[in-house]
């Protein structure tokens, strides 16, 4: 087993992996950006090293800096978490080149599953089918019409080398075919740099089901139940549950076996997930995610397995300590993602800032996988998931009731959160009856009544003015050490900065891209007035939509980018005067 593992991530997943390592007696090495020098993952790890930089591209995506820290710390393995480098074959290779284990699959498996065409071929090869369709690349709208007349409408045109729902066009009839093909190809070029598209039948009310897999390097693999992730909005999951409700044991087994075949077909070893669409008793292969997923805890709660510990063990070459027959599932688990986003009126606008107070609920069957504590800052530069509330109960109705109870008990102040939207979903008849689908949150759920969810507590500003003994961290030569010091309380300074930031006048008027990505939406035009905190641009990066906000109030004097344009981290997007 490894003696020391470096966690190349931040937030709740870094915390989750650090805890698993500590349970296994493995020393942990955290890495941190300039903004994260005092983040929870840094506080919990045995050692912490500075990456430098603020944006993801400058920090958590800096291969050279991470390799340098591997050498200085003596870490023997790297856990990538999710996002960042977790599905990056080049990074996995770079790590292997310095003799360190990537806690994930082999680079080849990452590559096969990295684009839709080869991922679909890999599944077809082992007899696992996607939605009925044509894999030939479309040249002409007549091919679309031919498919529709033969197999029926509606149909979907998808980008062959895309993902995440970008560039998918639904075509309802022959006269929409030409426009739809043209816009699908145009979007495919803008997002993915290639215009190849193909056509398949469009499912109007599918559920998103997925199978958790765990495979070792000795050819053993198991599937560990299903998850249902249909409650999502704009391809961002809000609530996940396990097992998937209202699925027959026969279908569950067939899906599990199909998923395992896909994984074994590409020599997969690691935790992984195969996604399916499910409609009217049939399931269709969608894609395979070659990483640990955000929602892995619901599977842990019903199986009793620590997926992160097992993932580390199989990466160290250990054999799976059980077979498929040993896996038994108990009860029902629900995960609610708590993002620092304001769901008011269904907008889900990012709400970065200081968490002035965080008290997670507890009690029987309640688990909080958090990345922040009271006093921590949620930065606009990273994913704004503050943590996941995971509730287990003996059956689904009890799990829903318990999750609602825990959400109402939750105290999270200083930033707006998705909690009100989560409550609206869980309390809804459609969710409770499992009549929802992947389109339900956007098309049916009414969030217009949800008000401003931001609560600001004064508690942090009420500290005593005297000198206080504080554990502070100092950075020496890029490595962090904890020392005790008697320091004056910084109440006055905090008050000032809080006042300044609430006026929103101090930020920069130059809005730049925090990371490499594609401009999905430009929400303002030249001459338009904006307030500090307004979302001005939506940038798609790392399979996620990131809302870029105005740091100061003013008038937009220049918009430097247009929708569909690719930008690099640091590029100027627009200017506010
Ligand atoms: C579909 C579909 C319906 N029919 N394909 C969107 C993301 C991408 N990975 C696949 N997606 C879909 N493909 C056919 N033929 C509906 C979706 C879809 C979806 C899928 C999974 C989770 C959420 C979704 C939300 C909207 C649409």
């Amino acid at each position: 087993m490894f003696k020391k593992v470096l966690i190349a991530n931040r937030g709740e997943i870094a915390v989750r992996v650090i805890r698993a390592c500590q349970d296994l007696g493995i020393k942990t090495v955290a890495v941190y950006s300039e903004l994260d020098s005092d983040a929870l993952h840094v506080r919990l790890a045995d050692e912490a090293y500075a990456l430098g930089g603020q944006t993801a591209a400058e920090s958590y995506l800096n291969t050279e800096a991470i390799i340098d820290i591997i050498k200085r710390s003596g870490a023997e393995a790297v856990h990538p978490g999710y996002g960042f480098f977790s599905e990056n074959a080049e990074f996995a290779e770079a790590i292997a080149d310095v003799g360190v284990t990537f806690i994930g699959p082999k680079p080849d498996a990452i590559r096969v599953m990295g684009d839709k065409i080869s991922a679909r071929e890999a599944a077809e090869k082992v007899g696992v089918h996607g939605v009925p369709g044509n894999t030939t690349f479309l040249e002409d709208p007549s091919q679309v019409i031919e498919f529709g007349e033969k197999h029926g409408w509606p149909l979907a045109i998808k980008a062959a080398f895309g993902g995440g729902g970008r560039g998918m066009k639904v075509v309802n009839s022959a006269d929409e075919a030409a426009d739809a093909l043209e816009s699908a190809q145009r979007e495919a070029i803008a997002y993915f740099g290639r215009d190849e598209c193909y056509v398949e039948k469009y499912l109007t009310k599918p559920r998103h089901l997925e199978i958790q897999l765990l495979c070792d390097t000795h050819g053993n693999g198991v599937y560990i139940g299903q998850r249902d992730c249909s409650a999502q909005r704009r391809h961002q999951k809000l609530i996940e549950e396990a097992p998937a409700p209202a699925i027959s044991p026969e279908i569950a087994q067939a899906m599990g076996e199909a998923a395992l075949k896909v994984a074994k077909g590409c020599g997969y070893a690691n935790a992984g997930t195969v996604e399916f669409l499910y409609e009217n008793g049939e399931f269709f292969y969608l894609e395979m995610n070659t990483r640990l997923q955000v929602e892995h805890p619901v599977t842990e709660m019903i199986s009793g397995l620590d997926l992160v510990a097992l993932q580390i063990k199989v990466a160290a070459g250990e054999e799976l300590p059980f077979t498929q027959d040993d896996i038994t599932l108990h009860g029902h688990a629900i995960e609610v993602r708590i993002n620092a986003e304001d769901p008011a009126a269904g907008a889900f606008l990012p709400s970065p800032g200081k968490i002035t107070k965080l008290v997670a609920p507890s009690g029987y069957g309640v688990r909080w996988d958090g990345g922040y504590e009271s006093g921590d800052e949620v930065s606009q530069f990273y994913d704004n998931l503050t943590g996941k509330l995971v509730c287990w109960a003996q059956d689904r109705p009890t799990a829903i009731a318990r999750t609602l109870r825990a959400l109402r008990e939750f105290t999270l102040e200083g930033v707006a959160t998705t909690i009100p939207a989560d409550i609206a979903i869980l309390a809804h008849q459609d969710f409770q009856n499992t009549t929802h689908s992947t389109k339900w949150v956007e098309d049916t759920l009414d969030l217009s009544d949800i008000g401003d969810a931001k609560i600001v507590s004064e508690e942090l500003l009420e500290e005593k003015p005297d000198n206080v003994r504080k554990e502070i961290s100092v950075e020496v030569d890029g490595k962090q050490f904890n020392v005790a010091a008697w320091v004056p309380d910084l109440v006055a300074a905090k008050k000032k900065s809080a006042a300044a930031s609430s006026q929103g006048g101090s930020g920069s008027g130059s809005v730049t891209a925090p990371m490499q990505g594609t401009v999905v939406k430009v929400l303002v035009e030249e001459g338009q007035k904006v307030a500090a905190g307004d979302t001005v641009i939506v940038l798609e990066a790392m399979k996620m939509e990131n809302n870029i906000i105005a740091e100061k109030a003013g008038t937009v004097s220049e918009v430097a980018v247009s929708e569909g344009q690719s930008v690099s981290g640091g590029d100027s997007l627009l200017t506010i005067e």
Side-chain angles (χ1 to χ4, degrees):
M1 181 45 68
F2 312 116
K3 288 191 196 69
K4 202 185 250 193
V5 168
L6 183 149
I7 297 92
N9 214 305
R10 63 178 307 285
E12 71 85 17
I13 196 59
V15 170
R16 169 74 186 87
V17 175
I18 287 167
R19 287 175 172 154
C21 289
Q22 289 170 342
D23 289 350
L24 293 169
I26 298 170
K27 291 278 180 238
T28 51
V29 178
V31 294
Y32 57 93
S33 68
E34 282 172 16
L35 300 170
D36 277 342
S37 63
D38 186 36
L40 182 58
H41 74 284
V42 172
R43 303 200 290 272
L44 289 179
D46 297 298
E47 296 172 31
Y49 292 80
L51 289 164
Q54 299 202 343
T55 65
E58 293 164 355
S59 54
Y60 298 99
L61 290 172
N62 184 341
T63 305
E64 238 171 79
I66 291 172
I67 287 182
D68 181 51
I69 295 167
I70 289 172
K71 291 178 179 159
R72 284 155 64 204
S73 66
E76 302 158 58
V78 173
H79 196 300
Y82 52 69
F84 295 134
F85 281 134
S86 59
E87 291 174 287
N88 187 310
E90 287 74 44
F91 179 79
E93 276 164 356
I95 294 303
D97 285 348
V98 292
V100 165
T101 305
F102 179 72
I103 302 178
K106 291 272 162 280
D108 286 349
I110 300 178
R111 282 204 182 91
V112 167
M113 294 304 167
D115 86 71
K116 256 203 230 155
I117 292 293
S118 65
R120 208 176 151 130
E121 276 167 7
E124 291 287 344
K125 196 179 73 186
V126 294
V128 175
H129 306 292
V131 181
N134 255 326
T135 40
T136 48
F137 298 147
L138 298 166
E139 302 280 348
D140 190 273
S142 65
Q143 295 167 291
V144 177
I145 295 167
E146 198 182 311
F147 186 91
E149 282 172 353
K150 196 160 159 208
H151 301 278
W153 309 90
L155 53 78
I157 303 178
K158 292 187 173 184
F161 296 94
R166 301 270 151 272
M168 181 172 97
K169 292 284 158 216
V170 180
V171 190
N172 292 297
S173 62
D175 43 304
E176 291 176 18
D179 285 354
L181 179 58
E182 199 209 298
S183 82
Q185 288 172 332
R186 194 180 46 215
E187 281 183 32
I189 280 270
Y191 292 127
F192 315 115
R194 306 182 55 159
D195 75 351
E196 291 93 334
C197 290
Y198 64 93
V199 66
E200 63 185 34
K201 196 171 142 59
Y202 179 71
L203 310 177
T204 51
K205 267 193 86 195
R207 283 165 62 193
H208 172 133
L209 305 189
E210 56 186 35
I211 301 285
Q212 176 67 54
L213 299 174
L214 190 62
C215 301
D216 66 20
T217 52
H218 305 272
N220 307 302
V222 293
Y223 58 90
I224 313 171
Q226 303 172 310
R227 294 187 288 256
D228 184 320
C229 313
S230 301
Q232 56 87 47
R233 180 195 161 272
R234 307 227 325 218
H235 308 293
Q236 297 277 52
K237 293 168 186 164
L238 295 165
I239 296 180
E240 305 98 340
E241 57 183 314
I247 300 293
S248 73
E250 293 75 28
I251 297 242
Q253 184 181 344
M255 268 180 73
E257 286 170 1
L260 204 50
K261 268 202 288 192
V262 171
K264 289 199 166 169
C266 70
Y268 196 80
N270 181 42
T273 299
V274 177
E275 296 184 351
F276 295 91
L277 291 176
Y278 174 84
E279 193 176 77
N280 301 328
E282 283 188 283
F283 62 85
F284 307 97
Y285 168 82
L286 207 50
E287 57 191 69
M288 177 166 185
N289 299 318
T290 57
R291 61 168 191 275
L292 181 73
Q293 287 194 256
V294 177
E295 59 269 29
H296 73 275
V298 288
T299 302
E300 297 184 321
M301 299 315 285
I302 62 161
S303 67
L305 300 171
D306 182 332
L307 290 173
V308 181
L310 287 161
Q311 189 190 17
I312 294 169
K313 287 181 182 181
V314 299
E318 291 186 21
E319 219 168 320
L320 281 181
F322 46 74
T323 65
Q324 190 66 51
D325 290 342
D326 299 322
I327 292 172
T328 49
L329 307 177
H330 296 281
H332 199 91
I334 295 176
E335 172 180 285
V336 168
R337 296 190 187 194
I338 303 198
N339 288 80
E341 281 172 19
D342 191 345
F348 293 87
L349 295 178
S351 178
K354 188 186 280 293
I355 296 175
T356 50
K357 189 174 179 190
L358 191 158
V359 184
S362 52
Y364 183 62
V366 178
R367 164 177 171 182
W368 168 241
D369 273 24
Y372 299 81
E373 293 177 333
S374 295
D376 290 340
E377 186 94 17
V378 179
S379 163
Q380 66 149 326
F381 287 119
Y382 315 118
D383 184 313
N384 57 30
L385 181 67
T386 65
K388 300 148 0 187
L389 177 70
V390 187
C391 294
W392 179 92
Q394 52 274 38
D395 55 53
R396 187 170 188 261
T398 314
I400 292 174
R402 180 167 291 156
T403 310
L404 282 166
R405 182 269 291 174
L407 284 171
R408 290 176 180 133
E409 202 180 301
F410 216 120
T411 303
L412 206 166
E413 298 176 0
V415 297
T417 74
T418 42
I419 290 174
D422 296 322
I423 291 175
I425 294 169
L426 290 166
H428 201 287
Q429 284 302 308
D430 292 352
F431 183 86
Q432 295 185 2
N433 297 334
T434 324
T435 53
H436 65 304
S437 73
T438 53
K439 309 275 288 165
W440 177 79
V441 170
E442 281 163 68
D443 293 356
T444 308
L445 184 68
D446 181 5
L447 294 172
S448 60
D449 277 355
I450 291 182
D452 186 351
K454 186 160 172 171
I455 303 162
V456 179
S457 114
E458 292 297 308
E459 199 158 286
L460 278 192
L461 305 177
E462 287 166 9
E463 288 172 38
K464 292 183 187 70
D466 303 340
N467 273 2
V468 284
R469 184 180 185 278
K470 283 239 163 93
E471 289 258 332
I472 61 165
S473 54
V474 294
E475 201 179 286
V476 179
D477 207 13
K479 178 170 180 185
Q480 203 171 83
F481 297 90
N482 292 326
V483 297
W486 289 88
V487 292
D489 211 48
L490 300 170
V491 177
K494 264 187 199 148
K495 265 191 179 152
K496 260 189 213 155
S497 77
S501 70
S502 70
Q503 282 159 13
S506 56
S508 162
S510 164
V511 179
T512 56
M515 61 195 99
Q516 186 269 328
T518 305
V519 175
V520 180
K521 274 209 166 65
V522 178
L523 298 163
V524 293
E525 47 192 47
E526 282 170 22
Q528 187 172 332
K529 284 206 166 25
V530 293
D534 281 0
T535 299
V536 289
I537 289 209
V538 181
L539 185 72
E540 140 116 15
M542 301 191 316
K543 294 188 175 179
M544 263 187 31
E545 287 192 358
N546 302 274
N547 293 314
I548 311 298
I549 62 168
E551 276 181 39
K552 72 167 196 179
T555 304
V556 177
S557 61
E558 193 204 345
V559 178
V561 292
S562 54
E563 289 177 10
Q565 188 174 330
S566 297
V567 293
S568 305
D571 281 4
S572 178
L573 303 176
L574 54 82
T575 311
I576 298 162
E577 276 175 2

